[in-house]
Amino acid sequence: MTQINTSTSEKIILGIDPGTRFLGYGLLRINQDKVTILQYGVLNLTKYTTQGAKFLKIHERVLGIIEEFLPDEIAIESPFFGKNVQSMLKLGRVQGMVMSLAFSKSIPIAEYEPKKIKQSVTGNGNASKEQVAKMVEIIGNIKLDAKLHDATDALGIAICHHFHNKNISSTIKGTKKGWGAFVTENPNRIK
């Protein structure tokens, strides 16, 4: 079971948008409710011709990011069902590798579905990548490179985690616990 950080002290969240062609990453510093973007980027894996070479590069880069920034939490986009089963399997392998790195460093990891990420960041579960990027710019108070959609998606994943964790933390801190407390505290989110 993942331990949730309920303190208001500073923390670093690493967001990962997994991929076997492009892997996006983004790091946020959360201090109280202030969101600061520390770093973001895209690992271009298209020049590697074998899955083994791609996975080795992903392992090296993600491990390097973890060791450099020492994130307190990692958030990753969860698998989504697509028409291409092979692509989904490859994504699952990348996700498993990132999760394994997190577990090996005792870093809690959370997964979020694409629609949940878009909903959390933009208020619309069907938002475009451009809309997510624009809201990430507003939340992070920074101008981002518009060509790095995988990186802005990763930042969106980290922001989603921050918003989600904040809601869970407030429920845990309150006198009520669990889903019942969530329903009571958020009647407008129940359909």
Side-chain angles (χ1 to χ4, degrees):
M1 181 169 182
T2 301
Q3 187 71 19
I4 297 171
N5 180 359
T6 58
S7 69
T8 57
S9 64
E10 181 178 284
K11 69 179 169 182
I12 295 175
I13 301 172
L14 169 60
I16 299 282
D17 183 19
T20 56
R21 292 177 38 80
F22 301 98
L23 180 136
Y25 65 91
L27 287 136
L28 302 179
R29 174 181 291 126
I30 309 297
N31 192 346
Q32 310 251 318
D33 274 337
K34 185 176 186 314
V35 175
T36 304
I37 296 173
L38 296 177
Q39 188 179 94
Y40 65 98
V42 175
L43 182 57
N44 183 346
L45 302 162
T46 59
K47 60 187 169 195
Y48 301 99
T49 56
T50 67
Q51 288 300 308
K54 289 180 180 189
F55 292 147
L56 180 61
K57 190 63 179 173
I58 292 167
H59 183 275
E60 289 171 351
R61 184 64 183 125
V62 173
L63 181 59
I65 292 167
I66 289 171
E67 289 176 343
E68 180 179 352
F69 289 94
L70 304 172
D72 299 290
E73 300 166 0
I74 297 176
I76 189 167
E77 187 175 84
S78 66
F80 57 92
F81 182 74
K83 292 182 180 179
N84 187 334
V85 175
Q86 287 301 315
S87 293
M88 196 169 118
L89 287 171
K90 289 175 187 174
L91 275 178
R93 291 175 185 143
V94 173
Q95 292 161 326
M97 182 185 310
V98 171
M99 293 172 90
S100 177
L101 286 168
F103 295 141
S104 74
K105 300 292 184 181
S106 299
I107 303 169
I109 189 161
E111 295 180 74
Y112 297 95
E113 296 174 358
K115 279 190 178 275
K116 183 175 190 97
I117 296 162
K118 292 175 182 179
Q119 176 70 37
S120 296
V121 175
T122 70
N124 176 1
N126 295 314
S128 68
K129 286 185 175 288
E130 292 79 14
Q131 290 170 316
V132 170
K134 185 62 180 170
M135 284 306 297
V136 168
E137 284 184 335
I138 292 168
I139 293 167
N141 194 27
I142 189 172
K143 181 70 177 152
L144 301 171
D145 186 335
K147 295 177 282 197
L148 298 178
H149 286 301
D150 296 291
T152 56
D153 284 352
L155 289 167
I157 294 162
I159 289 169
C160 169
H161 178 68
H162 167 59
F163 289 161
H164 181 73
N165 196 20
K166 185 173 136 182
N167 287 339
I168 290 173
S169 296
S170 67
T171 301
I172 290 170
K173 286 181 186 176
T175 56
K176 300 177 185 175
K177 306 236 185 289
W179 285 109
F182 177 82
V183 170
T184 303
E185 295 170 8
N186 300 281
N188 59 328
R189 295 183 73 182
I190 307 302
K191 294 182 183 183

